[in-house]
Amino acid sequence: MPKLLIATKNKGKLIEIQNLLENIPHQLVDLGDAGITDDIPETGATFEENAIQKARFAGLKSGLLTLADDSGLEIEYLEGRPGVKSARYVPGTDNDRVNQVLKELKGVPTEKRNAKFVAVVALFDPRDNSVKTWRGESLGTIADVPRGSRGFGYDPIFYNFDIRKTNAQATAREKNQVSHRARALRQARIFLE
Ligand code: IMP
């Protein structure tokens, strides 16, 4: 079975991607398995650019077919922020970033708290230097307080319209049916199969 490298250091993402790609005809390997310890560059202005940059970097380094995800939360009231900067919106922990968003939305009424999660998945093949991307989105609203303890990142404040609870209140299975990442990977999966 050919190997497929999943190029992410984010544990939450890695687990979701492994679940969502279960049973594809590839052996999934992570950055540790591939011996890659470098910081993977992420300097693009869009999710597409960053996903391609990450997949290409790890794919060239390892010589393996490589998949990378670039994702983030776009909040309408904040004109699309934190967007591509979601992982590093403010220094500190996921919790600090959640609190920063809540602070910026303090007093903003529910109807103005619309948001979407975006994921772009890039697949790089070092044999012919080719790259493909797929995008998935998930719509919701920013809750007034964090709810739930599952998931990662902004999951506790993303009230997901498809499941009518926050992503952090959903089971992994529920989130993986409707998430931005699931929607992008469903298309990647068809290609890989
Ligand atoms: P990056 O793709 O490594 O730049 O990081 C994406 C960041 O967006 C994560 O660190 C999270 O803060 C946020 N994010 C992306 N997907 C999710 C998700 O499924 N749940 C919660 N936060 C997410």
Side-chain angles (χ1 to χ4, degrees):
M1 245 190 329
K3 287 184 177 172
L4 173 63
L5 172 62
I6 310 300
T8 183
K9 285 190 177 164
N10 180 320
K11 279 266 147 39
K13 267 193 203 177
L14 181 65
I15 292 168
E16 288 186 9
I17 294 170
Q18 286 167 337
N19 280 331
L20 291 161
L21 292 181
E22 215 171 11
N23 297 327
I24 59 164
H26 292 77
Q27 181 195 342
L28 302 188
V29 298
D30 62 25
L31 289 169
D33 300 327
I36 296 180
T37 51
D38 315 59
D39 276 337
I40 301 184
E42 192 178 335
T43 55
T46 63
F47 294 113
E48 276 79 7
E49 282 172 22
N50 281 336
I52 291 171
Q53 193 179 24
K54 291 191 262 189
R56 195 187 292 278
F57 179 90
L60 288 175
K61 192 117 200 177
S62 64
L64 297 173
L65 184 66
T66 300
L67 182 140
D69 156 307
D70 196 66
S71 45
L73 179 64
E74 292 187 341
I75 301 173
E76 234 173 75
Y77 185 81
L78 302 180
E79 294 165 342
R81 279 184 283 121
V84 289
K85 297 212 172 87
S86 292
R88 46 193 188 281
Y89 193 40
V90 287
T93 62
D94 278 354
N95 205 20
D96 295 326
R97 287 179 277 278
V98 159
N99 287 331
Q100 174 65 25
V101 165
L102 288 178
K103 201 168 94 189
E104 290 186 55
L105 291 183
K106 199 163 181 203
V108 175
T110 314
E111 66 273 15
K112 290 192 177 163
R113 299 173 77 99
N114 284 343
K116 72 178 171 189
F117 263 131
V118 179
V120 173
V121 161
L123 184 72
F124 174 75
D125 190 339
R127 288 170 304 185
D128 59 1
N129 217 23
S130 63
V131 65
K132 284 189 177 305
T133 61
W134 298 273
R135 171 182 271 252
E137 297 185 354
S138 171
L139 301 181
T141 181
I142 302 303
D144 48 354
V145 290
R147 291 196 179 87
S149 55
R150 299 195 185 99
F152 65 97
Y154 300 91
D155 278 337
I157 52 167
F158 186 77
Y159 178 91
N160 189 316
F161 288 152
D162 287 309
I163 47 178
R164 300 188 184 178
K165 52 180 134 181
T166 69
N167 275 0
Q169 289 173 308
T171 62
R173 201 189 162 87
E174 285 171 322
K175 184 182 170 191
N176 283 342
Q177 270 161 8
V178 297
S179 77
H180 48 312
R181 185 161 297 105
R183 288 178 173 144
L185 283 171
R186 215 165 278 150
Q187 304 167 65
R189 197 185 163 99
I190 292 169
F191 178 80
L192 286 163
E193 279 171 344

